Amino acid sequence: MSNMNKTMIVANWKMHLNAHEASLLVHRLDDRIKIHRDVEVVLAPSMLSLQPLSLQIDRRKFRLAAQTANEHDQGAFTGEVSFTMLHDLVHYVIIGHSERRIYFHETFEVVRDKVAAAVRNKITPILCVGETHVERKNGETKQVLHDQLVTALSNLTTEEVENVVIAYEPVWAISTFGGELAKPSQISEAVDLIRSQIRELYGERVAASVRVLYGGSVDDHTISGYLEVPGINGALVGAASLNYHKFSAIIDAAYRLHHKVKEG
Ligand code: PGA
């Protein structure tokens, strides 16, 4: 089954849960979540938990993602972890999350180099893009998305871009940055912009096959509405992914919706 036909749900645990707590949460999720062929569940724990979780997870149910990594393959970069080191452990890596851009001053160029380093090491980037509240108010959303996308993808070939996952995360909708609920019409407009920019740069086929996720205050109550937005292939979930009731309910909703769409 092609990736496009699956719904992708990513748990971004951010800097929460030590290795023991992460393992417990995976145990609980494993009990609660069934094997779904059409729903891909990706867990992004702290760097420290990746190794033990890679041994613990049922690979039919879960895949792992890193939350970031360094753009260099190796070298004198105290405290950093490279994509080369992650390459056996994870399928995906989240790159350019707004917390990295805002708190750790990741520039467009650093994001571009990380995307290229991930691809070079056979790890699929989940590239986060999204405007701030001020940028939206000033009518700059289209320009911001354009600039973030064009720079981040500029060192990839067309074939490589086809595999990238893009997460549209308006900064103002992320729970810890304000948590204003985005309207489906705002998301649909942004997804159209993202796909049309990809179409202009890489052509129709790539625009149609790139997966686009939505992220920002997604929980068990809002998930269905967001997954129904045309052009959305899944969700990036922060706070709600730390709670196994909420996160497993999100997976259930994705599964139900997937089947409703297929049957309907
Ligand atoms: P949230 O976080 O679901 O807590 O809003 C999403 C994210 O930051 O990826």
Side-chain angles (χ1 to χ4, degrees):
M1 173 181 297
S2 97
N3 285 330
M4 261 317 256
N5 298 329
K6 291 189 187 182
T7 304
M8 182 177 185
I9 306 288
V10 185
N12 178 8
W13 290 349
K14 307 193 178 182
M15 200 174 71
H16 296 287
L17 310 180
N18 64 27
H20 176 67
E21 292 162 339
S23 166
L24 261 178
L25 181 50
V26 169
H27 262 300
R28 293 199 161 130
L29 290 174
D30 190 57
D31 279 345
R32 182 65 180 64
I33 291 174
K34 297 186 200 68
I35 298 170
H36 293 315
R37 243 169 23 105
D38 334 290
V39 181
E40 181 178 9
V41 183
V42 180
L43 306 176
S46 88
M47 207 60 108
L48 204 58
S49 299
L50 284 173
Q51 183 101 46
L53 289 190
S54 76
L55 302 173
Q56 180 185 342
I57 53 167
D58 179 339
R59 283 157 197 263
R60 294 167 303 173
K61 290 187 190 176
F62 304 106
R63 282 181 160 178
L64 293 177
Q67 296 175 14
T68 185
N70 189 279
E71 59 275 25
H72 302 280
D73 282 348
Q74 58 175 335
F77 299 102
T78 301
E80 293 293 274
V81 171
S82 71
F83 290 100
T84 317
M85 296 167 180
L86 291 172
H87 135 269
D88 289 337
L89 291 178
V90 301
H91 266 88
Y92 296 101
V93 58
I94 299 171
I95 299 179
H97 190 280
S98 50
E99 287 154 15
R100 303 282 330 160
R101 295 184 196 256
I102 294 167
Y103 300 143
F104 300 96
H105 315 294
E106 282 188 8
T107 60
F108 284 19
E109 289 70 30
V110 168
V111 171
R112 174 199 64 202
D113 292 349
K114 288 186 180 213
V115 167
V119 170
R120 183 165 75 238
N121 286 287
K122 312 257 176 301
I123 298 172
T124 301
I126 301 171
L127 170 67
C128 300
V129 296
E131 78 289 356
T132 62
H133 193 60
V134 174
E135 287 162 344
R136 174 164 282 268
K137 252 186 28 210
N138 293 344
E140 293 165 4
T141 302
K142 182 174 179 183
Q143 192 61 42
V144 169
L145 294 177
H146 173 267
D147 295 349
Q148 288 177 341
L149 276 175
V150 170
T151 351
L153 303 176
S154 60
N155 283 353
L156 304 188
T157 64
T158 301
E159 287 68 37
E160 288 167 342
V161 172
E162 204 168 338
N163 268 321
V164 172
V165 179
I166 294 167
Y168 172 58
E169 295 211 309
V171 179
W172 47 271
I174 294 178
S175 62
T176 48
F177 284 131
E180 206 181 305
L181 288 189
K183 294 192 192 79
S185 59
Q186 291 171 313
I187 300 171
S188 148
E189 211 175 289
V191 173
D192 284 350
L193 284 175
I194 290 169
R195 286 202 197 275
S196 67
Q197 281 157 6
I198 303 263
R199 185 175 303 112
E200 265 172 45
L201 292 163
Y202 303 98
E204 183 58 48
R205 192 175 50 103
V206 179
S209 56
V210 151
R211 286 174 287 172
V212 181
L213 313 181
Y214 173 70
S217 300
V218 174
D219 64 16
D220 44 331
H221 300 293
T222 55
I223 182 73
S224 302
Y226 290 139
L227 290 181
E228 277 174 358
V229 173
I232 285 290
N233 305 107
L236 178 49
V237 188
S241 71
L242 293 163
N243 176 307
Y244 84 96
H245 286 296
K246 289 188 184 175
F247 191 64
S248 44
I250 288 172
I251 308 297
D252 289 345
Y255 180 72
R256 277 199 306 272
L257 212 70
H258 197 97
H259 282 258
K260 194 173 104 187
V261 169
K262 253 192 352 203
E263 283 155 19

